[in-house]
Amino acid sequence: MFISTQKLNQAKQAFLLRFHPLVKTQYFYLIGIFTTLAALHLNMVNNHPLESKEIAFYTLYWAGIIFLLWQNRQQDNTTTWFSSLLGLGLLFMVILRPISQWHLDLFLFRFGPIFAALGLGLLSFGFAGLRHHWRLFLLLCLMLFPYGFINEIFAFRLHFSELTATISAFLLHYLGLKATVQGALVKLPTGQVEVLYFCTGGMLILWLLKLTLLIMVVIFPLTWRQRLGLIVCAIATGFLVGCIRVALLAVVVNNHSLFDYWHSYTGGGIFMVIATITYAALCNWILPLEQLPSEKKPDFTTATVEPKRRLFLTTTWLSIILTSIYLIATKRPLTTSTFPENIALNSWQQIKVKSWSKQKSDTQIIAEFESGKDYSYTKNNLPLELQMRYVINTRGELNPFLQQSSKNLVKDSQKNIRYVKGIGYYELYSDSKQAYLTACINPRGGSTVNSNQFMQNRYTYDLTWNRLLPWFLGKEVLRDNRCIWTQLSIPLNGVVNSKVYPVLESFWAENYVAWQSLLLKIY
């Protein structure tokens, strides 16, 4: 049965009857602008090399922010042209930057959206109206807060691996399996599994605590018992689900296909869904809908704004949309031409080059590494290997070349740290076959081998007055947390390492400046 033209006209008239009064209200434009900014930010997050896995978290928080904006639509907003123009300038100062800078500059990624929201708040609510929307800005700050330190507390202070292993072994023993625990090892007659932190419930607890903060801000006010109940349920649910996952991994440890599945992000994602559903059920018990506090608000009246104000808001919204489209359309990969196919070296002949492919890792140790190449050289029948890995958003630690080495080699390298003025720090170490030199090439300053040296370079060479204006104009990143981890190696061939080390050091000193210049071409 075809829809008649008369019914279409009636539907059109009904829509226009509701739409015309709506477009005369300020909140129609504000919600549209906030939604556009949310879509732009979520696009940045989805393509961010480190934050893309948190896209669900950012989406939920943006939904909470827009909900709070709609919930407080009855608040009086005393905007002025001064506050509007100041907010507009602050807003576009933040968003008129290449997307690649949002990926490279952690300061911009953490604080840029807050300044943009502040500018939008001045444009939308005025100076006096900001205080009525404090929950909106609190939720934005909680969304951008760096929660990574909580994982360090769980892993190193609370010893989550050992605790999870103990509870998992107890669960298996209770089920009739002969499970024992030794440190972070869960042992069964059929095999054993070592519990690493990223396999525990620490990540689940952190995820559920983020949801708890969202609930506490959106549903306001809550009693202290309700808040305490939400926090306890988040911690208990995440921890127990993590223990169940480890127990399952211990049972299937000899079945490689099953173990790889449940140990992968896919299997971990299933347990995250289970934890979230369980926590949601507990929230429904702690916060029954009929007992939730409700704020009595006056009936919503469509308070219209002046045509000049509507034109200003419409122009702002369209400008943000066009800017977002331009930024997304013109974004470029961060790793374009990071390393050339050939790196010429004095008196050394390059014989081979091999590209390094980015790998997936449950432990997230190498999640920051973007690209790399391995170069092979020879001189007078002496082979030399040059390996380079480009990393962003780092603190100058987690050397990829030492991650797979034995503890003795790592200790050997830490005892043999050298410093050369004008070049920087580097480590020397050797095994039975090769002698190695490794260091982190910094964008500015000398090379480093640990976090303290790297961050000292950033404070000395990045946070300077002459770089503030280029950063303000979007030409530079404020704190350049990039690095090229480099390793040189030469076979010993029966020669003691003390005779090979000078060759590596000479090679390093001659080429450091040229290799550092590779970082100038990336962004």
Side-chain angles (χ1 to χ4, degrees), residues 170-196:
F170 172 78
L171 292 176
L172 293 173
H173 181 76
Y174 183 79
L175 293 174
L177 301 176
K178 297 179 180 180
T180 59
V181 61
Q182 181 180 353
L185 291 175
V186 178
K187 297 183 177 181
L188 288 171
T190 55
Q192 67 180 23
V193 61
E194 181 181 4
V195 182
L196 302 177

Side-chain angles (χ1 to χ4, degrees), residues 258-278:
L258 283 177
F259 181 84
D260 291 340
Y261 177 81
W262 291 111
H263 190 256
S264 66
Y265 287 113
T266 304
I270 293 175
F271 279 98
M272 179 171 285
V273 172
I274 294 173
T276 304
I277 294 175
T278 304

Side-chain angles (χ1 to χ4, degrees), residues 24-30 77 79 123-124 303 305 309 313:
K24 297 179 180 179
T25 63
Q26 178 166 267
Y27 265 83
F28 170 78
Y29 301 95
L30 298 188
N77 301 315
T79 57
L123 184 151
S124 308
V305 292
R309 179 71 177 174
L313 292 174

Side-chain angles (χ1 to χ4, degrees), residues 47-53 100 103-104 332-339 355-359 365-373 388-394 400 481-485 519 522:
N47 292 281
H48 196 278
L50 300 182
E51 298 290 333
S52 58
K53 296 173 185 177
S100 59
H103 296 168
L104 292 171
R332 58 184 178 85
L334 293 175
T335 57
T336 301
S337 302
T338 305
F339 299 113
S355 295
W356 174 84
S357 59
K358 188 176 180 180
Q359 305 170 11
I365 289 178
I366 61 172
E368 301 170 338
F369 290 87
E370 294 298 307
S371 63
K373 275 189 170 62
M388 289 183 163
R389 303 290 182 266
Y390 172 55
V391 57
I392 64 175
N393 296 325
T394 182
N481 294 324
R482 298 176 299 146
C483 163
I484 296 179
W485 276 105
L519 287 168
I522 294 175

Side-chain angles (χ1 to χ4, degrees), residues 96-261:
L96 283 175
R97 293 172 181 268
I99 291 182
S100 59
Q101 286 196 8
W102 291 83
H103 296 168
L104 292 171
D105 194 339
L106 282 178
F107 182 88
L108 177 64
F109 185 83
R110 296 297 180 193
F111 295 98
I114 296 176
F115 285 107
L118 179 62
L120 187 54
L122 291 173
L123 184 151
S124 308
F125 318 127
F127 291 100
L130 287 177
R131 68 177 184 271
H132 298 303
H133 297 81
W134 64 270
R135 285 193 292 160
L136 186 151
F137 290 98
L138 175 60
L139 204 59
L140 185 65
C141 293
L142 291 175
M143 179 181 71
L144 297 166
F145 185 78
Y147 295 93
F149 72 96
I150 297 179
N151 288 323
E152 296 181 4
I153 295 175
F154 286 164
F156 301 110
R157 300 292 183 182
L158 302 181
H159 304 286
F160 249 51
S161 296
E162 292 82 356
L163 186 59
T164 300
T166 302
I167 301 301
S168 299
F170 172 78
L171 292 176
L172 293 173
H173 181 76
Y174 183 79
L175 293 174
L177 301 176
K178 297 179 180 180
T180 59
V181 61
Q182 181 180 353
L185 291 175
V186 178
K187 297 183 177 181
L188 288 171
T190 55
Q192 67 180 23
V193 61
E194 181 181 4
V195 182
L196 302 177
Y197 171 73
F198 289 98
C199 296
T200 68
M203 302 295 290
L204 295 177
I205 292 175
L206 184 56
W207 161 251
L208 295 180
L209 286 177
K210 292 176 182 178
L211 295 183
T212 302
L213 293 174
L214 175 63
I215 293 171
M216 288 181 178
V217 176
V218 172
I219 304 176
F220 181 84
L222 297 177
T223 65
W224 70 267
R225 291 184 179 180
Q226 290 172 326
R227 294 192 184 96
L228 181 61
L230 290 173
I231 295 173
V232 171
C233 287
I235 296 174
T237 301
F239 180 73
L240 290 177
V241 172
C243 291
I244 294 172
R245 182 191 181 193
V246 170
L248 175 62
L249 290 173
V251 172
V252 301
V253 66
N254 285 333
N255 189 323
H256 295 296
S257 59
L258 283 177
F259 181 84
D260 291 340
Y261 177 81

